[in-house]
Coordinates of all heavy atoms in Angstrom, one line a residue:
M1 N 42.9 108.8 -33.3 CA 44.1 109.5 -32.8 C 44.8 108.6 -31.7 O 44.1 107.9 -30.9 CB 43.7 110.8 -32.1 CG 44.8 111.5 -31.4 SD 44.5 113.1 -30.8 CE 43.3 112.8 -29.5
K2 N 46.1 108.5 -31.8 CA 46.8 107.7 -30.9 C 48.0 108.6 -30.4 O 48.6 109.3 -31.1 CB 47.4 106.5 -31.5 CG 48.1 105.6 -30.6 CD 48.5 104.3 -31.2 CE 49.1 103.3 -30.2 NZ 49.4 102.0 -30.8
Y3 N 48.2 108.6 -29.0 CA 49.3 109.3 -28.5 C 49.9 108.5 -27.3 O 49.3 107.7 -26.8 CB 48.9 110.7 -28.1 CG 48.0 110.8 -26.9 CD1 48.5 111.0 -25.6 CD2 46.6 110.7 -27.0 CE1 47.7 111.1 -24.5 CE2 45.8 110.8 -26.0 CZ 46.3 110.9 -24.7 OH 45.5 111.0 -23.6
T4 N 51.1 108.9 -27.0 CA 51.8 108.2 -25.9 C 52.2 109.2 -24.9 O 52.7 110.3 -25.2 CB 53.1 107.5 -26.4 OG1 52.7 106.6 -27.4 CG2 53.8 106.8 -25.3
V5 N 52.0 108.9 -23.6 CA 52.4 109.8 -22.5 C 53.3 109.0 -21.6 O 53.1 107.8 -21.3 CB 51.1 110.2 -21.7 CG1 51.6 111.0 -20.5 CG2 50.2 111.0 -22.5
S6 N 54.4 109.6 -21.3 CA 55.4 109.0 -20.4 C 55.5 109.8 -19.2 O 55.6 111.0 -19.2 CB 56.7 108.9 -21.2 OG 57.6 108.1 -20.5
T7 N 55.4 109.1 -18.0 CA 55.5 109.9 -16.7 C 56.8 109.4 -16.0 O 57.0 108.2 -15.8 CB 54.3 109.6 -15.9 OG1 53.1 110.0 -16.6 CG2 54.4 110.4 -14.6
E8 N 57.6 110.3 -15.6 CA 58.8 110.0 -14.8 C 58.5 110.5 -13.4 O 58.0 111.6 -13.2 CB 60.0 110.7 -15.3 CG 60.5 110.2 -16.7 CD 61.8 110.8 -17.1 OE1 62.6 111.2 -16.2 OE2 62.0 110.8 -18.3
I9 N 58.7 109.6 -12.4 CA 58.4 109.9 -11.0 C 59.7 109.8 -10.3 O 60.4 108.7 -10.3 CB 57.4 108.9 -10.4 CG1 56.1 108.9 -11.3 CG2 57.1 109.2 -9.0 CD1 55.1 107.8 -10.9
A10 N 60.2 110.9 -9.8 CA 61.5 111.0 -9.1 C 61.5 110.5 -7.7 O 61.6 111.2 -6.7 CB 62.0 112.4 -9.2
L11 N 61.3 109.2 -7.6 CA 61.3 108.5 -6.3 C 62.0 107.1 -6.5 O 62.1 106.6 -7.6 CB 59.8 108.2 -5.9 CG 59.0 109.4 -5.5 CD1 57.5 109.0 -5.3 CD2 59.5 110.1 -4.3
P12 N 62.4 106.5 -5.4 CA 63.0 105.2 -5.5 C 62.0 104.2 -6.2 O 60.8 104.3 -6.0 CB 63.2 104.8 -4.1 CG 63.3 106.1 -3.3 CD 62.4 107.0 -4.0
R13 N 62.5 103.2 -6.9 CA 61.7 102.3 -7.6 C 60.6 101.6 -6.7 O 59.5 101.3 -7.2 CB 62.4 101.3 -8.4 CG 63.8 101.0 -8.0 CD 64.6 100.0 -8.8 NE 64.0 99.2 -9.8 CZ 64.4 99.0 -11.0 NH1 65.3 99.7 -11.5 NH2 63.8 98.2 -11.8
E14 N 61.0 101.3 -5.5 CA 60.0 100.6 -4.6 C 58.8 101.5 -4.3 O 57.7 101.0 -4.3 CB 60.7 100.2 -3.3 CG 61.8 99.1 -3.4 CD 63.1 99.7 -3.9 OE1 63.4 100.9 -3.9 OE2 63.9 98.9 -4.4
K15 N 59.1 102.8 -4.2 CA 58.0 103.7 -3.9 C 57.1 103.9 -5.2 O 55.9 103.9 -5.1 CB 58.5 105.1 -3.5 CG 57.5 106.1 -3.1 CD 56.7 105.7 -1.9 CE 55.7 106.8 -1.6 NZ 54.8 106.4 -0.5
V16 N 57.7 103.9 -6.3 CA 57.0 104.0 -7.6 C 56.1 102.8 -7.8 O 55.0 102.9 -8.2 CB 57.9 104.2 -8.8 CG1 57.2 104.1 -10.1 CG2 58.6 105.6 -8.7
A17 N 56.7 101.6 -7.5 CA 55.9 100.4 -7.5 C 54.6 100.4 -6.6 O 53.6 100.0 -7.0 CB 56.7 99.2 -7.2
Q18 N 54.8 101.0 -5.4 CA 53.6 101.2 -4.5 C 52.6 102.1 -5.2 O 51.4 101.9 -5.1 CB 54.1 101.7 -3.2 CG 54.9 100.8 -2.4 CD 55.4 101.5 -1.1 OE1 55.3 102.7 -0.9 NE2 56.0 100.7 -0.2
L19 N 53.1 103.2 -5.8 CA 52.1 104.1 -6.4 C 51.3 103.5 -7.5 O 50.2 103.7 -7.7 CB 52.9 105.3 -7.0 CG 53.5 106.3 -6.0 CD1 54.4 107.3 -6.7 CD2 52.4 107.0 -5.2
L20 N 52.0 102.6 -8.3 CA 51.3 101.9 -9.4 C 50.3 100.8 -8.9 O 49.3 100.6 -9.5 CB 52.3 101.2 -10.3 CG 53.2 102.2 -11.1 CD1 54.3 101.4 -11.9 CD2 52.4 103.0 -12.1
A21 N 50.7 100.2 -7.8 CA 50.0 99.0 -7.3 C 48.8 99.4 -6.5 O 47.8 98.6 -6.4 CB 50.9 98.1 -6.6
D22 N 48.8 100.5 -5.8 CA 47.7 100.9 -4.8 C 46.7 101.9 -5.4 O 47.1 103.0 -5.6 CB 48.4 101.5 -3.6 CG 47.4 101.7 -2.4 OD1 46.2 101.7 -2.7 OD2 47.8 101.9 -1.3
P23 N 45.5 101.5 -5.6 CA 44.5 102.4 -6.3 C 44.3 103.7 -5.4 O 43.9 104.7 -6.0 CB 43.3 101.6 -6.4 CG 43.4 100.4 -5.5 CD 44.9 100.2 -5.3
A24 N 44.4 103.6 -4.1 CA 44.2 104.8 -3.3 C 45.3 105.8 -3.5 O 45.1 107.0 -3.2 CB 44.3 104.4 -1.8
L25 N 46.4 105.4 -4.1 CA 47.5 106.4 -4.4 C 47.5 107.0 -5.8 O 48.3 107.8 -6.1 CB 48.9 105.7 -4.1 CG 49.1 105.2 -2.7 CD1 50.4 104.5 -2.5 CD2 49.0 106.4 -1.7
L26 N 46.6 106.5 -6.6 CA 46.5 107.0 -8.0 C 46.5 108.6 -8.1 O 47.2 109.2 -8.9 CB 45.3 106.5 -8.7 CG 45.4 105.0 -9.2 CD1 44.0 104.6 -9.7 CD2 46.5 104.8 -10.2
P27 N 45.7 109.3 -7.3 CA 45.7 110.7 -7.4 C 47.0 111.4 -7.1 O 47.2 112.6 -7.5 CB 44.6 111.2 -6.3 CG 43.8 110.0 -6.1 CD 44.7 108.8 -6.3
K28 N 47.9 110.7 -6.4 CA 49.2 111.3 -6.1 C 50.1 111.4 -7.4 O 51.0 112.3 -7.4 CB 49.9 110.5 -5.1 CG 49.3 110.6 -3.7 CD 50.2 110.0 -2.7 CE 49.6 110.2 -1.3 NZ 49.7 111.5 -0.7
W29 N 49.8 110.6 -8.4 CA 50.7 110.7 -9.6 C 49.9 110.9 -10.9 O 50.5 111.2 -11.9 CB 51.6 109.5 -9.7 CG 50.9 108.2 -9.9 CD1 50.4 107.4 -8.9 CD2 50.6 107.5 -11.1 NE1 49.8 106.2 -9.5 CE2 49.9 106.3 -10.8 CE3 50.8 107.9 -12.5 CZ2 49.5 105.5 -11.8 CZ3 50.3 107.0 -13.5 CH2 49.7 105.8 -13.1
L30 N 48.6 110.7 -10.9 CA 47.7 110.9 -12.0 C 47.0 112.2 -11.9 O 45.9 112.2 -11.4 CB 46.8 109.7 -12.2 CG 46.2 109.3 -13.5 CD1 47.2 109.3 -14.6 CD2 45.4 108.0 -13.4
R31 N 47.6 113.2 -12.4 CA 47.1 114.6 -12.3 C 45.7 114.7 -12.9 O 45.5 114.3 -14.0 CB 48.0 115.6 -12.9 CG 47.7 117.0 -12.7 CD 48.7 118.0 -13.3 NE 50.0 117.8 -12.6 CZ 51.1 117.6 -13.3 NH1 51.2 117.7 -14.6 NH2 52.2 117.5 -12.6
G32 N 44.7 115.3 -12.2 CA 43.4 115.5 -12.7 C 42.4 114.4 -12.5 O 41.3 114.5 -12.9
L33 N 42.8 113.3 -11.8 CA 42.0 112.1 -11.6 C 40.8 112.5 -10.8 O 40.9 113.0 -9.7 CB 42.8 111.0 -11.0 CG 42.0 109.7 -10.8 CD1 41.6 109.1 -12.1 CD2 42.8 108.8 -9.9
V34 N 39.6 112.2 -11.3 CA 38.3 112.3 -10.6 C 37.8 110.9 -10.1 O 37.3 110.8 -9.0 CB 37.3 113.0 -11.5 CG1 35.9 113.1 -10.8 CG2 37.7 114.4 -11.8
L35 N 37.9 110.0 -11.0 CA 37.4 108.6 -10.8 C 38.2 107.6 -11.5 O 38.6 107.8 -12.6 CB 35.9 108.6 -11.2 CG 35.2 107.2 -11.1 CD1 34.9 106.9 -9.7 CD2 34.0 107.2 -12.0
H36 N 38.4 106.5 -10.8 CA 39.1 105.3 -11.5 C 38.5 104.1 -10.9 O 38.7 103.8 -9.7 CB 40.6 105.3 -11.2 CG 41.4 104.3 -12.0 ND1 41.3 103.0 -11.8 CD2 42.2 104.5 -13.1 CE1 42.1 102.4 -12.7 NE2 42.6 103.3 -13.5
E37 N 37.6 103.4 -11.7 CA 36.9 102.2 -11.2 C 37.1 101.0 -12.2 O 36.8 101.2 -13.4 CB 35.5 102.5 -10.9 CG 34.7 102.8 -12.2 CD 33.2 103.1 -11.8 OE1 32.7 102.8 -10.7 OE2 32.5 103.6 -12.7
P38 N 37.6 99.9 -11.7 CA 37.7 98.7 -12.5 C 36.3 98.3 -13.0 O 35.4 98.2 -12.2 CB 38.4 97.7 -11.7 CG 39.1 98.5 -10.6 CD 38.2 99.7 -10.4
L39 N 36.2 97.9 -14.3 CA 34.9 97.4 -14.8 C 35.0 95.9 -15.0 O 34.1 95.2 -14.8 CB 34.6 98.0 -16.2 CG 34.5 99.5 -16.2 CD1 34.4 100.1 -17.6 CD2 33.3 100.0 -15.4
A40 N 36.2 95.4 -15.3 CA 36.5 94.0 -15.4 C 37.9 93.7 -15.0 O 38.8 94.4 -15.5 CB 36.2 93.5 -16.9
G41 N 38.1 92.8 -14.1 CA 39.5 92.5 -13.7 C 39.8 93.1 -12.4 O 39.0 93.8 -11.7
E42 N 41.1 93.0 -12.0 CA 41.6 93.5 -10.7 C 42.5 94.7 -11.0 O 43.3 94.7 -11.9 CB 42.3 92.5 -10.0 CG 42.8 92.9 -8.6 CD 43.5 91.7 -7.9 OE1 43.2 90.5 -8.2 OE2 44.4 92.0 -7.0
H43 N 42.3 95.8 -10.2 CA 43.1 97.0 -10.4 C 44.6 96.7 -10.7 O 45.2 96.0 -10.0 CB 43.0 97.9 -9.2 CG 44.0 99.0 -9.2 ND1 43.8 100.2 -10.0 CD2 45.3 99.2 -8.7 CE1 44.9 100.9 -9.9 NE2 45.7 100.4 -9.1
G44 N 45.1 97.3 -11.8 CA 46.5 97.3 -12.1 C 47.0 96.0 -12.8 O 48.1 95.9 -13.1
Q45 N 46.1 95.0 -12.9 CA 46.5 93.7 -13.5 C 46.4 93.7 -15.0 O 45.5 94.4 -15.5 CB 45.7 92.6 -12.9 CG 46.0 92.4 -11.4 CD 47.4 92.2 -11.0 OE1 48.1 91.4 -11.6 NE2 47.9 92.9 -10.0
L46 N 47.2 93.0 -15.7 CA 47.2 92.8 -17.1 C 45.8 92.5 -17.6 O 45.2 91.5 -17.0 CB 48.2 91.8 -17.6 CG 48.4 91.7 -19.1 CD1 49.0 92.9 -19.6 CD2 49.3 90.5 -19.3
G47 N 45.2 93.2 -18.5 CA 43.9 92.9 -19.1 C 42.8 93.6 -18.4 O 41.7 93.6 -18.9
T48 N 43.0 94.2 -17.3 CA 41.9 94.9 -16.5 C 41.4 96.1 -17.3 O 42.2 96.9 -17.8 CB 42.4 95.3 -15.1 OG1 42.8 94.2 -14.4 CG2 41.4 96.2 -14.4
T49 N 40.1 96.2 -17.4 CA 39.5 97.4 -18.0 C 38.9 98.2 -16.9 O 38.2 97.7 -16.0 CB 38.4 96.9 -19.0 OG1 39.0 96.0 -20.0 CG2 37.7 98.1 -19.7
S50 N 39.1 99.6 -17.0 CA 38.6 100.5 -16.0 C 38.0 101.7 -16.6 O 38.3 102.1 -17.7 CB 39.8 101.0 -15.1 OG 40.4 99.9 -14.4
R51 N 37.0 102.3 -15.9 CA 36.5 103.6 -16.3 C 37.3 104.6 -15.6 O 37.5 104.6 -14.3 CB 35.0 103.7 -15.9 CG 34.4 105.0 -16.2 CD 32.9 104.9 -15.9 NE 32.3 106.3 -15.9 CZ 31.7 106.9 -14.9 NH1 31.5 106.3 -13.8 NH2 31.2 108.1 -15.1
V52 N 37.8 105.6 -16.3 CA 38.6 106.7 -15.7 C 38.0 108.0 -16.1 O 37.6 108.3 -17.3 CB 40.0 106.6 -16.3 CG1 40.9 107.7 -15.7 CG2 40.6 105.2 -16.0
V53 N 37.8 108.9 -15.2 CA 37.3 110.3 -15.4 C 38.4 111.3 -14.9 O 38.9 111.2 -13.8 CB 36.0 110.6 -14.7 CG1 35.5 112.0 -15.0 CG2 34.9 109.6 -15.2
M54 N 38.8 112.2 -15.8 CA 39.9 113.1 -15.5 C 39.3 114.5 -15.7 O 38.4 114.8 -16.6 CB 41.0 113.0 -16.5 CG 41.6 111.6 -16.6 SD 42.6 111.1 -15.2 CE 44.0 112.2 -15.4
Q55 N 39.7 115.5 -14.8 CA 39.3 116.9 -14.9 C 40.4 117.6 -15.6 O 41.6 117.6 -15.1 CB 39.0 117.5 -13.6 CG 38.5 118.9 -13.6 CD 37.1 119.0 -14.1 OE1 36.2 118.3 -13.7 NE2 36.9 120.0 -15.0
M56 N 40.2 118.3 -16.7 CA 41.2 119.0 -17.4 C 40.6 120.5 -17.7 O 39.9 120.7 -18.6 CB 41.6 118.4 -18.7 CG 42.1 117.0 -18.6 SD 42.4 116.2 -20.1 CE 43.9 115.3 -19.7
G57 N 41.0 121.4 -16.8 CA 40.4 122.7 -16.8 C 38.9 122.7 -16.6 O 38.5 122.1 -15.6
Q58 N 38.2 123.2 -17.6 CA 36.7 123.2 -17.4 C 36.1 122.0 -18.0 O 34.8 121.8 -18.0 CB 36.1 124.4 -18.2 CG 36.6 125.8 -17.7 CD 36.1 126.0 -16.2 OE1 35.0 125.7 -15.9 NE2 36.9 126.6 -15.4
R59 N 36.8 121.0 -18.5 CA 36.3 119.9 -19.2 C 36.7 118.6 -18.4 O 37.7 118.5 -17.7 CB 36.8 119.7 -20.6 CG 36.3 120.9 -21.4 CD 36.7 120.6 -22.9 NE 36.0 121.6 -23.7 CZ 35.4 121.3 -24.8 NH1 35.3 120.1 -25.2 NH2 34.8 122.2 -25.4
K60 N 35.8 117.6 -18.6 CA 36.1 116.3 -18.1 C 36.4 115.4 -19.2 O 35.7 115.5 -20.3 CB 35.0 115.8 -17.2 CG 34.9 116.5 -15.9 CD 33.9 115.8 -15.0 CE 33.9 116.5 -13.6 NZ 32.8 116.1 -12.8
L61 N 37.3 114.5 -19.0 CA 37.6 113.5 -20.0 C 37.3 112.1 -19.4 O 37.8 111.8 -18.4 CB 39.1 113.5 -20.4 CG 39.7 112.5 -21.3 CD1 39.2 112.7 -22.7 CD2 41.2 112.5 -21.2
E62 N 36.4 111.4 -20.1 CA 36.0 110.1 -19.6 C 36.7 109.0 -20.5 O 36.5 109.1 -21.8 CB 34.5 109.9 -19.6 CG 34.1 108.6 -19.0 CD 32.6 108.5 -18.8 OE1 31.9 109.5 -18.6 OE2 32.1 107.4 -18.9
C63 N 37.4 108.1 -20.0 CA 38.1 107.0 -20.7 C 37.7 105.6 -20.3 O 37.3 105.4 -19.1 CB 39.6 107.1 -20.5 SG 40.4 108.7 -20.7
T64 N 37.9 104.7 -21.2 CA 37.9 103.3 -20.9 C 39.3 102.9 -21.1 O 39.9 103.1 -22.2 CB 36.9 102.5 -21.8 OG1 35.6 103.0 -21.6 CG2 37.0 101.0 -21.4
E65 N 39.9 102.4 -20.0 CA 41.4 102.1 -20.0 C 41.6 100.6 -19.9 O 40.9 99.9 -19.1 CB 42.0 102.8 -18.8 CG 43.4 102.4 -18.5 CD 43.8 103.0 -17.2 OE1 44.3 104.2 -17.2 OE2 43.7 102.4 -16.1
T66 N 42.5 100.1 -20.6 CA 42.9 98.6 -20.5 C 44.4 98.5 -20.2 O 45.2 99.2 -20.9 CB 42.5 97.9 -21.8 OG1 41.1 98.0 -22.0 CG2 42.9 96.4 -21.6
I67 N 44.8 97.8 -19.2 CA 46.2 97.5 -19.0 C 46.7 96.5 -20.0 O 46.2 95.4 -20.1 CB 46.4 96.9 -17.5 CG1 45.8 97.8 -16.5 CG2 47.9 96.7 -17.3 CD1 46.4 99.2 -16.3
T68 N 47.6 96.9 -20.8 CA 48.1 96.1 -21.9 C 49.5 95.5 -21.7 O 49.9 94.6 -22.4 CB 48.2 96.9 -23.2 OG1 49.0 98.1 -23.1 CG2 46.8 97.4 -23.6
R69 N 50.2 96.0 -20.7 CA 51.5 95.5 -20.4 C 51.9 95.8 -19.0 O 51.7 97.0 -18.6 CB 52.6 96.1 -21.4 CG 54.0 95.6 -21.2 CD 54.9 96.2 -22.2 NE 56.2 95.7 -22.2 CZ 57.2 96.2 -22.8 NH1 57.1 97.3 -23.6 NH2 58.4 95.7 -22.7
R70 N 52.4 94.9 -18.2 CA 52.8 95.1 -16.9 C 54.0 94.1 -16.6 O 53.8 92.9 -16.5 CB 51.7 94.8 -15.9 CG 52.2 94.9 -14.4 CD 51.0 94.7 -13.5 NE 51.6 94.4 -12.2 CZ 50.9 94.7 -11.1 NH1 49.7 95.3 -11.1 NH2 51.5 94.4 -9.9
E71 N 55.2 94.7 -16.6 CA 56.4 93.9 -16.4 C 57.3 94.7 -15.5 O 57.6 95.8 -15.7 CB 57.1 93.7 -17.8 CG 56.4 93.0 -18.8 CD 57.0 93.0 -20.2 OE1 58.2 93.5 -20.3 OE2 56.4 92.5 -21.1
P72 N 57.8 94.0 -14.5 CA 57.5 92.6 -14.1 C 56.1 92.5 -13.5 O 55.5 93.5 -13.1 CB 58.5 92.3 -13.0 CG 58.9 93.6 -12.4 CD 58.7 94.6 -13.5
A73 N 55.5 91.3 -13.6 CA 54.1 91.1 -13.1 C 54.0 91.4 -11.6 O 53.0 91.9 -11.1 CB 53.7 89.7 -13.4
D74 N 55.0 91.0 -10.8 CA 55.0 91.3 -9.4 C 55.8 92.5 -9.1 O 57.1 92.5 -9.2 CB 55.6 90.1 -8.6 CG 55.5 90.2 -7.1 OD1 55.1 91.3 -6.6 OD2 55.9 89.2 -6.4
L75 N 55.1 93.6 -8.8 CA 55.8 94.9 -8.5 C 56.4 95.0 -7.1 O 57.1 95.9 -6.8 CB 54.8 96.1 -8.7 CG 54.4 96.3 -10.1 CD1 53.3 97.4 -10.2 CD2 55.5 96.6 -11.1
R76 N 56.2 93.9 -6.3 CA 56.8 94.0 -5.0 C 58.3 93.6 -5.0 O 59.0 94.0 -4.1 CB 56.1 93.0 -4.0 CG 54.6 93.5 -3.8 CD 53.9 92.4 -3.0 NE 53.8 91.2 -3.9 CZ 53.4 90.0 -3.5 NH1 53.0 89.8 -2.3 NH2 53.3 89.0 -4.4
V77 N 58.7 92.8 -6.0 CA 60.1 92.4 -6.1 C 60.5 92.8 -7.6 O 60.2 92.1 -8.5 CB 60.2 90.9 -5.9 CG1 61.7 90.5 -6.0 CG2 59.6 90.5 -4.6
I78 N 61.3 93.9 -7.7 CA 61.8 94.3 -9.0 C 63.3 94.2 -9.0 O 64.0 94.9 -8.2 CB 61.4 95.8 -9.2 CG1 59.8 95.9 -9.1 CG2 61.9 96.2 -10.6 CD1 59.4 97.3 -9.1
P79 N 63.8 93.3 -9.8 CA 65.3 93.2 -9.9 C 65.9 94.6 -10.3 O 65.3 95.3 -11.1 CB 65.5 92.2 -11.0 CG 64.2 91.4 -11.1 CD 63.2 92.4 -10.7
K80 N 67.1 94.9 -9.7 CA 67.7 96.2 -10.0 C 68.0 96.5 -11.5 O 68.0 97.6 -11.9 CB 69.0 96.3 -9.2 CG 68.9 96.2 -7.7 CD 68.5 97.6 -7.2 CE 68.5 97.5 -5.6 NZ 67.6 98.4 -5.0
T81 N 68.2 95.4 -12.2 CA 68.5 95.6 -13.7 C 67.2 95.7 -14.5 O 67.3 95.9 -15.7 CB 69.3 94.4 -14.2 OG1 68.6 93.2 -13.9 CG2 70.7 94.4 -13.4
S82 N 66.0 95.5 -13.9 CA 64.8 95.5 -14.7 C 64.3 96.9 -15.0 O 64.4 97.8 -14.2 CB 63.7 94.8 -14.0 OG 63.9 93.4 -13.9
V83 N 63.7 97.0 -16.2 CA 62.9 98.2 -16.5 C 61.4 97.9 -16.3 O 61.0 96.8 -16.6 CB 63.1 98.6 -18.0 CG1 62.2 99.7 -18.4 CG2 64.6 98.9 -18.3
V84 N 60.7 98.8 -15.6 CA 59.3 98.5 -15.3 C 58.5 99.1 -16.5 O 58.7 100.3 -16.9 CB 58.9 99.2 -14.0 CG1 57.4 99.0 -13.7 CG2 59.7 98.6 -12.8
H85 N 57.6 98.3 -17.0 CA 56.7 98.7 -18.0 C 55.3 98.6 -17.5 O 54.9 97.5 -16.9 CB 56.8 97.8 -19.3 CG 58.1 97.9 -19.9 ND1 58.4 98.9 -20.8 CD2 59.2 97.1 -19.8 CE1 59.6 98.8 -21.2 NE2 60.2 97.7 -20.7
F86 N 54.5 99.6 -17.6 CA 53.1 99.7 -17.1 C 52.3 100.4 -18.2 O 52.2 101.6 -18.1 CB 53.0 100.3 -15.7 CG 51.7 100.1 -15.0 CD1 51.5 98.9 -14.4 CD2 50.7 101.1 -14.9 CE1 50.3 98.6 -13.7 CE2 49.6 100.8 -14.2 CZ 49.4 99.6 -13.6
D87 N 51.9 99.7 -19.2 CA 51.3 100.3 -20.4 C 49.7 100.2 -20.3 O 49.2 99.2 -19.9 CB 51.8 99.7 -21.7 CG 53.3 99.8 -21.9 OD1 53.9 100.6 -21.1 OD2 53.8 99.2 -22.8
R88 N 49.1 101.3 -20.8 CA 47.6 101.3 -20.8 C 47.2 101.8 -22.2 O 47.8 102.7 -22.7 CB 47.1 102.3 -19.8 CG 47.6 102.1 -18.4 CD 47.5 103.3 -17.6 NE 47.8 103.0 -16.2 CZ 47.3 103.6 -15.2 NH1 46.4 104.5 -15.3 NH2 47.6 103.2 -14.0
E89 N 46.1 101.4 -22.6 CA 45.4 101.9 -23.8 C 44.1 102.5 -23.4 O 43.4 101.9 -22.6 CB 45.2 100.9 -24.9 CG 46.5 100.5 -25.6 CD 46.3 99.5 -26.7 OE1 45.2 99.2 -27.1 OE2 47.3 99.0 -27.2
S90 N 43.7 103.6 -23.9 CA 42.5 104.3 -23.5 C 41.7 104.7 -24.7 O 42.3 105.1 -25.7 CB 42.8 105.5 -22.7 OG 43.4 105.2 -21.5
S91 N 40.4 104.6 -24.6 CA 39.5 105.3 -25.6 C 38.7 106.3 -24.8 O 38.4 106.0 -23.7 CB 38.6 104.3 -26.3 OG 37.8 103.6 -25.3
A92 N 38.6 107.5 -25.4 CA 38.0 108.6 -24.5 C 37.0 109.4 -25.3 O 37.0 109.4 -26.5 CB 39.2 109.5 -24.1
R93 N 36.2 110.1 -24.5 CA 35.4 111.2 -25.0 C 35.5 112.4 -24.1 O 35.7 112.2 -22.9 CB 33.9 110.8 -25.1 CG 33.2 110.5 -23.8 CD 31.8 109.9 -24.1 NE 31.2 109.6 -22.8 CZ 30.4 110.4 -22.1 NH1 30.2 111.7 -22.5 NH2 29.9 110.1 -21.0
V94 N 35.5 113.6 -24.7 CA 35.6 114.8 -23.9 C 34.2 115.3 -23.6 O 33.4 115.4 -24.5 CB 36.4 115.9 -24.6 CG1 36.5 117.2 -23.8 CG2 37.8 115.4 -24.9
C95 N 33.9 115.6 -22.4 CA 32.6 116.1 -22.0 C 32.6 117.6 -21.7 O 33.6 118.1 -21.1 CB 32.1 115.4 -20.7 SG 32.1 113.6 -20.8
G96 N 31.6 118.3 -22.1 CA 31.4 119.7 -21.7 C 30.9 119.6 -20.3 O 31.4 118.8 -19.5
A97 N 29.9 120.3 -19.9 CA 29.4 120.2 -18.6 C 27.9 119.7 -18.7 O 27.2 120.3 -19.6 CB 29.4 121.6 -17.9
P98 N 27.4 118.8 -18.0 CA 28.2 118.0 -17.1 C 28.6 116.7 -17.7 O 28.0 116.3 -18.7 CB 27.1 117.7 -16.0 CG 25.8 117.7 -16.7 CD 26.0 118.7 -17.8
C99 N 29.5 115.9 -17.1 CA 29.9 114.6 -17.5 C 29.7 113.7 -16.3 O 30.2 114.0 -15.2 CB 31.3 114.6 -18.0 SG 31.9 113.0 -18.6
A100 N 28.9 112.7 -16.4 CA 28.5 111.9 -15.2 C 29.8 111.3 -14.6 O 30.6 110.8 -15.3 CB 27.5 110.8 -15.6
T101 N 29.9 111.2 -13.3 CA 31.1 110.6 -12.6 C 30.6 109.5 -11.7 O 31.5 108.9 -11.0 CB 31.9 111.6 -11.8 OG1 31.1 112.3 -10.9 CG2 32.5 112.7 -12.8
G102 N 29.4 109.2 -11.6 CA 29.1 108.2 -10.6 C 28.0 107.3 -11.0 O 27.5 106.7 -11.8

């Protein structure tokens, strides 16, 4: 199964770039986040693989996520005419209770 999720964040682009770049801010825009830990690479960088655990109602969803596109590469300086792309691919399993988080 493959699906696409698009998130619109009604904030200035500089603030959105901060939300994408800072792992401490992930829970502010990634609803249901329980855990996000890089397994290989640096947070938010192209090619980085992370373990992600999400709480969805009574279930937890555990994913392995890979950053597949990040444009522009430097989110600190975004030209006004640029569109920001921050794409991820995930493979997941849904857990009943319990699903390990640590």
Side-chain angles (χ1 to χ4, degrees):
M1 172 173 67
K2 184 174 183 176
Y3 68 95
T4 302
V5 175
S6 195
T7 302
E8 291 187 27
I9 303 172
L11 293 171
R13 26 185 338 132
E14 294 77 18
K15 183 66 176 171
V16 172
Q18 289 174 352
L19 290 172
L20 292 173
D22 187 346
L25 299 177
L26 285 173
K28 292 192 176 279
W29 64 273
L30 199 52
R31 187 176 297 133
L33 181 67
V34 173
L35 175 74
H36 191 285
E37 65 179 349
L39 301 173
E42 185 179 331
H43 169 78
Q45 297 301 315
L46 186 63
T48 296
T49 301
S50 300
R51 178 174 170 238
V52 181
V53 178
M54 308 286 290
Q55 182 74 44
M56 300 178 143
Q58 297 296 321
R59 296 187 170 228
K60 287 189 179 172
L61 174 72
E62 184 172 330
C63 305
T64 300
E65 168 190 274
T66 302
I67 305 295
T68 57
R69 183 177 183 192
R70 178 178 161 149
E71 296 172 7
D74 185 353
L75 294 176
R76 294 171 296 169
V77 181
I78 304 171
K80 297 277 186 211
T81 58
S82 291
V83 174
V84 176
H85 296 277
F86 196 77
D87 298 348
R88 308 157 172 216
E89 287 185 6
S90 299
S91 60
R93 65 185 177 90
V94 177
C95 303
C99 185
T101 58

